[in-house]
Amino acid sequence: MARALSPRRLWLTTAAAWFVALLIFFPVLWMILTSFKTEPSAVAMPPQFLSADWTLENYAEVWARSDYPRFFWNSVVIAVGSTLLGLVIAIPSAWAMAFVPGRKTKDLLMWMLSTKMMPAVAVMIPLYLIFQRLGLMDTKIGLVLVLMLMNLPIIIWMLYTYFKEIPGEILEASRMDGATLWGEIIHVLTPMALPGIASTMLLNIILAWNEAFWTIVLTTTRAAPLSAFIASFSAPQGLFYAKLSAASAMAILPILILGWFSQKQLVRGLTFGAVK
Amino acid sequence: MASTTEAATGRQGTEARPRARWTRNISAKIAAIPMIATALVVFVGGTIWTVVYSFTDSKLLPRLRWVGFDQYERLWSQNRWLISIENLMFYGVMSLVFTVTMGFILAVLMDQKIRFEDTFRTIMLYPFALSFIVTGLVWQWILNPQFGIQGVVRDMGWTSFSFDPLNNPQTVLYGLLIAGLWQGTGFVMCLMLAGLRGIDEDIWKAARVDGIPTWKTYVMVIIPMMRPVFITTLVIVASGIIRLYDLVVAMTSGGPGGNASQVPAMYVYDYMFQAQNLGQGFAASTMMLLSVLIVLIPWAYLEFGGKKHG
């Protein structure tokens, strides 16, 4: 955008860009390919592309050996649940900070953000003990709560940036027409900020989906999501690359697909609203 | 006549406004309460609790038997802790420098109308969307001496080729760094690209009219203008580095040689769950908190709090 390029240079840069993209994507691609190979073929030297023994057995075995649907369902509940709960708390707060800023609003926002920089281990034991006492260990509700808390600062920050771009006059006008405060937030602000909210949701679903630290600390079997599922495959069974690849592919595929079909939201979400 | 009406409405306005603002502020405060409450209870409450118990000799369970600074003395005499700190500093500086430079350079190259840009950016962001555990597994394999790069190159005939960073204490951090860069660079690139796109086209025109070379325009004009983007990037990347844990667990479990790639978060985790020495873990996590407080917060506060950027 900065400079107009000759068509030839444009093609060159495009080619270079795609080369970089391929390089970046290669490890993931390789993992997916490997997941369809037999174990000997997966570790064969030189690496096999076309001559490999293709099979679906890895998936069948991973499927049979562990309860994938349960892990998957746990991941969905935890990721979506924590995101929705976070939005319920964050939308009013972000509204307050964006449209009714006080003298302390900036400090408050900064403080919220700084909690995200805290090392999670600092609150690990207190949370662990609270969880034990309340019987929340290894429950989906517990993980929904924790991941909501961990991602709340980011949700609020992102919503705040999006809300700030909505002219306050529109809200004012709706209030003139007799909208109540909640009506204003739910019927005017939320629909207007929907693209931003969608990006925020997507980012948080991804963050919650990938969260490994808390899920490993706070779950054992019943509520364990897919991140714990991969971790369990990498440890005891030794290094079976093809099966490990299949397990990993099964864990990340939902995110890859979700990301592909919502590219705009993904880019905007993952860059924390910086891309408009 | 007209002026009296105006005066009347004006007075009415000034009368009504303080009340309106007061109620609005009330609703705003109510709206913010859930957020403040959760943040206070969990983060502030949990943090204070951790700090308090770091002065006790808690073992398997937390208990309030004071031992003063004993846990800290022990902490700083542990070789493993010192290595952890050193590793984190090295990894942190390297990964900050490299992700930011590489991300910026890529973004500059990208800052043209390339074809299928959305798709391209999505691909660049995929590593960031994958969990650290998957990143770790993939790279552990690529860097595996038998099945990864080294194996492939040796198989092609260069039998003396050696590339085995993860099994050498001297190079293990570089191995982690490669995986970390793979994960983070695309993300930084997208942030930087957004920043570049936000810069007014007129600046480029002006620079061209004045005959300033492109690289100089970038260094002298564009980068200073992109300060907020750089700050955001630094804060996000830095906060990720401090919490570095999953990647190390997935790739090296702290080894080779037991300690070569230890990081502070791992120290805390091990003392709390394996060694069952909570007090020591609390002391270590308090030190981590302290370092965040000292390094990140005042700096981020100045940058974000002082200006219009939220």
Side-chain angles (χ1 to χ4, degrees), chain A residues 152-200:
Chain A
L152 191 61
I154 286 186
I155 303 186
I156 289 178
W157 183 26
M158 283 184 69
L159 287 180
Y160 172 80
T161 6
Y162 293 126
F163 285 1
K164 275 215 82 126
E165 279 171 21
I166 293 171
E169 290 84 48
I170 293 175
L171 297 187
E172 213 123 313
S174 75
R175 211 171 314 122
M176 293 293 171
D177 292 345
T180 59
L181 181 58
W182 289 106
E184 178 189 324
I185 292 183
I186 293 166
H187 296 298
V188 185
L189 178 63
T190 310
M192 284 191 69
L194 212 56
I197 293 177
S199 297
T200 313

Side-chain angles (χ1 to χ4, degrees), chain B residues 50-59 63-75 277-283:
Chain B
T50 298
V51 174
V52 167
Y53 276 90
S54 73
F55 293 103
T56 67
D57 68 345
S58 305
K59 290 280 181 223
R63 60 176 173 197
L64 282 169
R65 194 184 297 159
W66 307 105
V67 291
F69 282 91
D70 281 10
Q71 298 285 8
Y72 291 92
E73 267 169 45
R74 211 180 126 206
L75 178 70
N277 188 339
L278 286 181
Q280 185 62 199
F282 290 146

Side-chain angles (χ1 to χ4, degrees), chain A residues 1-3 5 9-11 13-14 17-18 20-25 27-28 30-31 34 42-43 45-47 89 92-93 95-97 99-100 106-129 148-150 152-153 156-157 160 164 172 175 181-182 184-185 203 206 209-213 216-217 227 230-231 234 239 241-242 244-245 248 251-252 255-257 259-260 263-264 266-267 270-272 274-276, chain B residues 24-25 27-29 31-36 38-40 42-47 49-50 61-62 106 108-134 137-142 144 146-148 151-152 155 182 185-187 190-191 194-195 197 201 204 208 214 218 232 235-236 239 242-243 245-246 265 268-269 272-273 278 282 285-286 288-289 292-293 296-297 300-301 304-305 307-310:
Chain A
M1 277 249 268
R3 284 138 297 139
L5 287 179
R9 268 200 63 188
L10 180 64
W11 276 108
T13 35
T14 304
W18 281 96
V20 173
L22 195 69
L23 205 66
I24 295 253
F25 192 62
V28 179
W30 188 247
M31 192 184 82
T34 304
V43 295
M45 266 310 145
I89 294 182
S93 306
W95 167 81
M97 290 195 286
F99 297 111
V100 201
K106 283 270 135 74
D107 299 346
L108 192 63
L109 194 67
M110 198 52 234
W111 175 63
M112 278 300 295
L113 259 182
S114 62
T115 58
K116 186 68 198 165
M117 296 171 205
M118 301 262 184
V121 285
V123 290
M124 181 171 74
I125 292 294
L127 265 185
Y128 191 88
L129 292 173
M148 184 275 286
L149 284 169
M150 292 305 139
L152 191 61
I156 289 178
W157 183 26
Y160 172 80
K164 275 215 82 126
E172 213 123 313
R175 211 171 314 122
L181 181 58
W182 289 106
E184 178 189 324
I185 292 183
L203 172 72
I206 290 175
W209 190 277
N210 290 337
E211 175 61 50
F213 185 79
I216 289 169
V217 171
S227 44
I230 323 173
S234 64
L239 287 173
Y241 281 123
L244 198 55
S245 296
S248 307
I252 61 170
I255 291 293
L256 289 183
I257 293 169
W260 193 259
Q263 295 183 3
K264 261 205 157 57
L266 180 84
V267 170
L270 280 187
T271 50
F272 300 86
V275 177
K276 300 276 151 51
Chain B
R24 280 216 63 167
N25 273 343
S27 48
K29 276 165 195 154
I33 281 176
M35 167 197 89
I36 298 174
T38 46
L40 262 184
V42 176
F43 293 107
V44 179
T47 307
W49 195 92
T50 298
L61 287 168
L106 277 174
V108 167
L109 291 176
M110 268 340 75
D111 189 22
Q112 293 139 8
K113 288 194 179 94
I114 67 160
R115 265 139 241 265
F116 308 111
E117 190 187 281
D118 276 349
T119 311
F120 172 75
R121 280 201 298 208
T122 306
I123 291 175
M124 292 292 284
L125 276 173
Y126 265 154
F128 191 68
L130 303 180
S131 74
F132 259 128
I133 295 214
V134 174
L137 290 176
V138 170
W139 281 94
Q140 188 200 37
W141 186 7
I142 295 175
N144 183 299
Q146 223 182 325
F147 310 116
V152 173
D155 187 73
W182 176 73
T185 306
F187 161 69
C190 284
L191 277 179
R197 289 285 157 80
E201 198 68 13
W204 280 107
R208 225 168 303 139
T214 310
Y218 272 116
T232 311
V235 171
I236 293 169
S239 61
I242 291 172
R243 289 179 284 114
Y245 171 81
D246 338 22
V268 175
Y269 187 90
M272 283 178 175
F273 286 106
L278 286 181
F282 290 146
S285 51
T286 304
M288 284 176 72
L289 274 170
V292 174
L293 283 176
L296 269 181
I297 291 180
Y301 191 87
F304 280 110
K307 286 212 215 90
K308 62 179 186 332
H309 275 278

